[in-house]
Amino acid sequence: MVFPSFLTFFLLLFSLHGLAFASKTGRYSSLFSFGDSISDTGNLLLSGDNPFIGIANPPYGQTFFKKPTGRCSDGRLIVDFFAEALGLPFLPPYLSKSKSKKDFRKGMNFAVAGATALSYSYFESRGMGLLWTNKSLSVQLEWFQQFLPSLCHPGTGEDCKRYLKNSLFLVGEIGGNDFNYPLLQARSLHEARTYVPDVIKAITEAVSVLIRLGAKTLVVPGNFPTGCSTLYLTVFQTNNKDEYEPSTGCLIRFNEFASYYNSKLQDGIQALRKRFPKATIIYADNYNMSMRFVETPTLFGFPKERVLFACCGGGGPYNFDITKTCGSPRVKACTYPAQYADWDGLHLTEAAYEFIAKAMLNGEFMHPPIKLGVAA
């Protein structure tokens, strides 16, 4: 486990100055994002597949945008901080394309909150129908392929190759919901474990398609420590103290499962590197980046006594109630979201996402580190 030093902490605080300089070098002229609610900037709401309608209501978006935008947080997400660091506009959601006059050549967001790496039919065949959306990773990839001809000319020369070479692709986080759905529908960890090879295959196949189209730099994040999630801590609460990590209060079995999945994802990425040696495929270690918040919360401005509590929730031991979630009537947010890592029980605050994004862009917990200088 990696513990941040005070020097690292202060470097993180001041890192945006360096990032602003790096963005002026123009290594990446566009940014594309695929994934779920960690990255969605509005596609779920625009799709009409919105059982989690609370994100359309205040206090979502209150910190930065001052209104709900379809982001599952109080403000900016990791993808937003990437765009800022690269000197690019915030990515418009793909489903806004018919209503917007923006220049989509600078990037687009295909992520959909609630999305899975595996297809909707995969879960339906296993008796699980309570999915937020059927816009899985393969659907998002189809959207990208359909839209690509309006950005460049695939297969007709150097235009598309040059364009995609100078683009940065964020493929995830995706895959977390492939386990959230079964586990929260009373399926066992043993059953969820059997899904891992199929999830890894879906993600690596998507990365392969993007590389064959011309992508050269791709970031593939791992899963977060779900045993520290307010949602999991509430739903799987137990009086058995042996199920909790003594130093953090997180549920051991779910963190072990997340670590197992991440190790298999890294194996899949390594296999991709051998198949595509000219592409740069970066693994982003979301797990260890996030564990810093619960291991040393005060270094990030999060009081230790409430680091596992949701800022916006309906009460209970962790301020999360599945019947009174954030965005519901009479459910209020905390006064100072920047003092919380957890926003609504399942997603993080802008403050937490900013720390993660800065660490990623500085090369921490990125294998290999991302390069923001001038492209070769």
Side-chain angles (χ1 to χ4, degrees):
M1 194 64 67
V2 181
F3 291 84
S5 65
F6 282 98
L7 176 59
T8 299
F9 175 63
F10 285 112
L11 286 173
L12 282 172
L13 287 178
F14 292 103
S15 63
L16 281 184
H17 294 294
L19 296 178
F21 173 79
S23 70
K24 295 176 184 178
T25 65
R27 180 179 179 89
Y28 301 110
S29 57
S30 57
L31 176 66
F32 295 97
S33 175
F34 304 81
D36 55 26
S37 57
I38 304 302
S39 305
D40 185 5
T41 55
N43 280 316
L44 179 65
L45 291 186
L46 291 167
S47 72
D49 301 335
N50 51 11
F52 193 47
I53 193 64
I55 61 174
N57 304 326
Y60 282 92
Q62 68 174 27
T63 296
F64 184 82
F65 300 99
K66 308 306 179 185
K67 64 179 182 179
T69 62
R71 289 168 172 81
C72 295
S73 184
D74 61 309
R76 290 165 291 181
L77 310 176
I78 294 170
V79 65
D80 295 316
F81 290 109
F82 263 74
E84 287 183 339
L86 297 173
L88 299 170
F90 292 141
L91 298 189
Y94 169 76
L95 293 178
S96 70
K97 66 184 187 305
S98 62
K99 303 176 183 178
S100 175
K101 296 181 180 179
K102 293 183 179 180
D103 179 9
F104 292 115
R105 281 184 59 85
K106 294 184 178 180
M108 182 173 283
N109 196 331
F110 299 91
V112 183
T116 52
L118 296 168
S119 67
Y120 185 89
S121 61
Y122 183 94
F123 297 96
E124 195 173 41
S125 68
R126 288 160 176 76
M128 286 175 281
L130 299 177
L131 277 64
W132 288 4
T133 179
N134 60 4
K135 309 300 187 296
S136 64
L137 181 57
S138 61
V139 173
Q140 296 174 31
L141 195 60
E142 288 174 10
W143 287 349
F144 176 74
Q145 292 175 291
Q146 291 167 5
F147 199 66
L148 188 58
S150 68
L151 302 172
C152 57
H153 301 93
T156 60
E158 293 300 316
D159 177 50
C160 228
K161 291 182 180 179
R162 183 168 53 251
Y163 175 71
L164 295 177
K165 176 184 177 181
N166 293 323
S167 300
L168 178 63
F169 290 81
L170 305 181
V171 188
E173 188 271 336
I174 187 75
N177 287 325
D178 295 74
F179 310 116
N180 289 336
Y181 288 125
L183 292 173
L184 295 172
Q185 294 182 50
R187 303 298 177 96
S188 67
L189 272 172
H190 175 75
E191 179 179 337
R193 194 182 181 100
T194 66
Y195 300 171
V196 170
D198 293 331
V199 174
I200 303 302
K201 182 179 180 182
I203 294 171
T204 55
E205 284 185 351
V207 172
S208 299
V209 169
L210 290 170
I211 293 173
R212 290 192 185 100
L213 288 171
K216 292 297 183 183
T217 308
L218 308 96
V219 177
V220 185
N223 204 354
F224 291 86
T226 48
C228 302
S229 160
T230 301
L231 170 62
Y232 275 73
L233 287 165
T234 300
V235 173
F236 298 100
Q237 189 173 1
T238 174
N239 292 324
N240 184 355
K241 294 182 179 180
D242 292 338
E243 293 205 18
Y244 296 89
E245 295 173 352
S247 61
T248 64
C250 301
L251 286 161
I252 296 172
R253 57 187 173 128
F254 293 109
N255 275 359
E256 287 180 343
F257 177 76
S259 295
Y260 167 76
Y261 164 76
N262 287 337
S263 70
K264 296 301 181 183
L265 177 61
Q266 290 177 77
D267 290 343
I269 291 172
Q270 186 57 33
L272 281 174
R273 290 174 181 144
K274 292 179 180 179
R275 287 174 56 197
F276 302 104
K278 293 184 179 181
T280 300
I281 309 170
I282 302 168
Y283 173 71
D285 188 356
N286 277 339
Y287 185 98
N288 284 308
M289 282 190 283
S290 301
M291 282 303 297
R292 299 184 306 172
F293 300 148
V294 292
E295 291 171 340
T296 54
T298 55
L299 287 181
F300 302 92
F302 306 138
K304 185 174 179 61
E305 65 272 12
R306 57 173 180 259
V307 69
L308 297 176
F309 287 45
C311 167
C312 182
Y318 299 96
N319 194 32
F320 180 82
D321 185 333
I322 196 70
T323 66
K324 294 183 291 184
T325 56
C326 189
S328 301
R330 296 180 294 282
V331 175
K332 297 181 179 180
C334 60
T335 304
Y336 302 107
Q339 294 181 4
Y340 287 73
D342 191 297
W343 168 243
D344 60 5
L346 189 57
H347 309 101
L348 303 183
T349 58
E350 177 183 273
Y353 284 137
E354 183 173 14
F355 280 121
I356 292 173
K358 286 179 179 179
M360 292 171 73
L361 288 159
N362 279 319
E364 293 184 275
F365 305 103
M366 297 280 272
H367 311 286
I370 192 168
K371 296 179 180 179
L372 295 177
V374 179

